[in-house]
C-alpha cells in the first residue's frame, strides 16, 4: 500500500499538502474515538463515588452511542453546508463539555447529559465529517488510500 502523495490537491484547503490534511484529520479522529472507547475504564471509580451502581453509567454510554450515530449524519450535512472546520470545532467543544460533566457528575442524570454531549461531540468531530474533508482534498486516483488511511488513524486511536 502506498501513502498518498505529498503534493497539494487543488481541492486542499489553503494549499495544504494531502499528507498534512490526512494527518490532522487522523489525529482528531484518533483522539475523539480513542477517548470515547476508554470511558469504560472509569466506570468502577465513578459509580462508586456517586453510589449509583453501573446502571446510570451504562445507560449514559448507550445513549452516547445512539447519539453518536444520529449526530454523525447530521454533522456531516452541516459540515457540507457550513464548513467542516466549524462543525469539528463545535464537536470538540461538546466532547470536552461532556467529559467535564462526567468529571463533575453528582447524579445519574449528570452522567446521562455527559453521554449526550460526548455522543454529539464524537459524531461532529469524527469520521462522518472528516472523511468528506479528506475525500475532497485527495485527487480521485488517491482518494481510496487517503480515506483508508484516515480510517486506520481512527483504529490506532482506539488502540492507543
Amino acid at each position: 500500500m502506498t501513502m498518498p502523495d505529498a503534493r497539494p490537491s487543488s481541492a486542499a484547503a489553503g494549499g495544504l499538502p494531502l499528507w498534512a490534511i490526512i494527518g490532522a484529520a487522523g489525529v482528531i479522529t484518533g483522539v475523539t474515538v480513542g477517548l470515547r472507547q476508554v470511558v469504560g475504564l472509569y466506570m468502577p471509580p465513578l459509580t462508586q463515588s456517586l453510589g449509583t451502581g453501573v446502571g446510570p453509567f451504562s445507560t449514559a454510554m448507550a445513549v452516547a452511542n445512539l447519539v453518536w450515530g444520529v449526530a454523525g449524519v447530521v454533522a456531516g450535512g452541516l459540515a457540507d453546508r457550513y464548513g467542516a472546520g466549524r462543525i469539528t470545532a463545535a464537536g470538540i467543544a461538546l466532547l470536552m463539555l461532556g467529559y467535564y460533566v462526567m468529571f463533575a457528575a453528582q447524579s445519574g442524570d449528570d452522567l446521562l447529559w455527559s453521554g449526550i454531549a460526548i455522543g454529539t461531540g464524537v459524531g461532529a468531530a469524527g469520521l462522518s465529517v472528516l472523511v468528506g474533508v479528506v475525500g475532497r482534498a485527495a485527487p480521485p486516483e488517491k482518494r481510496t488510500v487517503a480515506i483508508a488511511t484516515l480510517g486506520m488513524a481512527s483504529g490506532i486511536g482506539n488502540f492507543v
Side-chain angles (χ1 to χ4, degrees), residues 57-159:
F57 184 88
S58 300
T59 301
M61 293 303 97
V63 167
N65 285 335
L66 292 171
V67 170
W68 177 4
V70 173
V73 174
V74 173
L78 290 173
D80 287 343
R81 184 173 183 98
Y82 298 109
R86 290 180 179 141
I87 301 304
T88 301
I92 291 170
L94 281 168
L95 197 58
M96 291 179 357
L97 173 68
Y99 287 122
Y100 177 76
V101 170
M102 182 179 285
F103 161 77
Q106 298 295 315
S107 68
D109 290 341
D110 292 343
L111 291 177
L112 187 60
W113 285 112
S114 75
I116 292 169
I118 289 169
T120 305
V122 173
L127 285 172
S128 59
V129 172
L130 297 173
V131 162
V133 171
V134 170
R136 283 188 295 276
E141 66 276 5
K142 297 188 186 291
R143 192 165 292 143
T144 303
V145 172
I147 292 171
T149 304
L150 177 60
M152 190 171 56
S154 176
I156 290 170
N158 284 336
F159 176 74

